[in-house]
Amino acid sequence: RREQARLSGLVVPRDTERWQQRPRFEGLRRVGGADLSYGHGGGTACASLVVLSYPGLEVLYEDCRMVTVTAPYVAGFLAFREAPVLVEAVQRLQQEQPSLSPQVLLVDGNGMLHPRGFGVACHLGVLTDLPCIGVAKNLLQMDGLVRDELHKQQIHSLQAGESFPLTGTSGRVLGMVLRSHSNSSKPLYISVGHRVSLDTAVRLVSSCCRFRIPEPIRQADIRSREYLRQ
């Protein structure tokens, strides 16, 4: 808890890059996606990092390798289990092929939408000092946020590309619900990781969706699962 609190104080929840201020993200060329797929038993996993071109969303770089996950799963502290191996993957890319380093990372998980405001996307963002966005497939129920009938009705009313804020009982906007594609009624839950505003995070994720899941995370997941299968 102490380490999480220390690191959470380093989160920058605002835009820090010029490309973030531009309507079509001019200047953004490389978007990263990070994901872990677990093997049988949960003690091993495939850590996957991909970098895609932007706006073309073509894969420029991929790194999949088996890792041993030593930290136990504890609710609210998932980042201590997953972030170290993803940080290593980012650092390996930065050292070996710096010209392909991502300008922003999309992470399969939450950022500030977290009981202590510091999910895996924040953890990874702070440790790599990269702009980072949390993209979750399910609602983390906290601060009064629940998947009740009102929430389901709000989701049902969304058109593709539309979103609405997740406001907790504390009054804080913790993230956004985004309907990312017309072919899926299931939403995404977007939250700030590091060095990006919530509005920019939603716009960027939306622009990266050929399907429901944004392409950087989708490609990282596809490759990690295929690596495990082989």
Side-chain angles (χ1 to χ4, degrees), residues 29-199:
R29 297 287 179 265
R30 298 173 307 281
V31 180
D35 186 43
L36 252 69
S37 290
Y38 288 90
H40 296 296
T44 59
C46 177
S48 176
L49 173 69
V50 300
V51 180
L52 275 60
S53 64
Y54 188 89
L57 301 178
E58 301 300 326
V59 177
L60 303 174
Y61 171 90
E62 65 175 283
D63 179 11
C64 295
R65 56 186 70 195
M66 294 303 297
V67 296
T68 300
V69 182
T70 56
Y73 171 74
V74 180
F77 298 94
L78 178 65
F80 289 94
R81 181 174 169 87
E82 297 190 347
V85 295
L86 296 176
V87 169
E88 286 179 8
V90 172
Q91 292 174 339
R92 190 161 51 244
L93 166 58
Q94 291 172 331
Q95 292 168 4
E96 296 175 0
Q97 298 191 60
S99 64
L100 294 179
S101 294
Q103 294 165 273
V104 59
L105 271 176
L106 273 57
V107 182
D108 183 10
N110 290 299
M112 296 182 74
L113 179 56
H114 180 273
R116 287 171 296 282
F118 196 74
V120 65
C122 295
H123 206 119
L124 189 57
V126 166
L127 293 184
T128 62
D129 199 31
L130 286 171
C132 211
I133 299 169
V135 182
K137 295 184 281 292
N138 298 295
L139 175 64
L140 181 61
Q141 301 191 41
M142 49 156 288
D143 194 11
L145 298 176
V146 291
R147 197 172 182 275
D148 57 11
E149 285 305 313
L150 175 60
H151 185 76
K152 293 176 183 177
Q153 289 172 13
Q154 288 177 303
I155 289 171
H156 184 71
S157 68
L158 289 177
Q159 300 297 312
E162 292 182 344
S163 59
F164 65 84
L166 287 165
T167 305
T169 54
S170 63
R172 294 180 298 136
V173 176
L174 302 169
M176 296 283 281
V177 182
L178 170 69
R179 183 175 179 183
S180 56
H181 199 275
S182 59
N183 289 344
S184 176
S185 60
K186 294 181 179 179
L188 297 174
Y189 296 89
I190 313 300
S191 56
V192 169
H194 183 53
R195 293 178 58 190
V196 65
S197 68
L198 185 55
D199 176 67

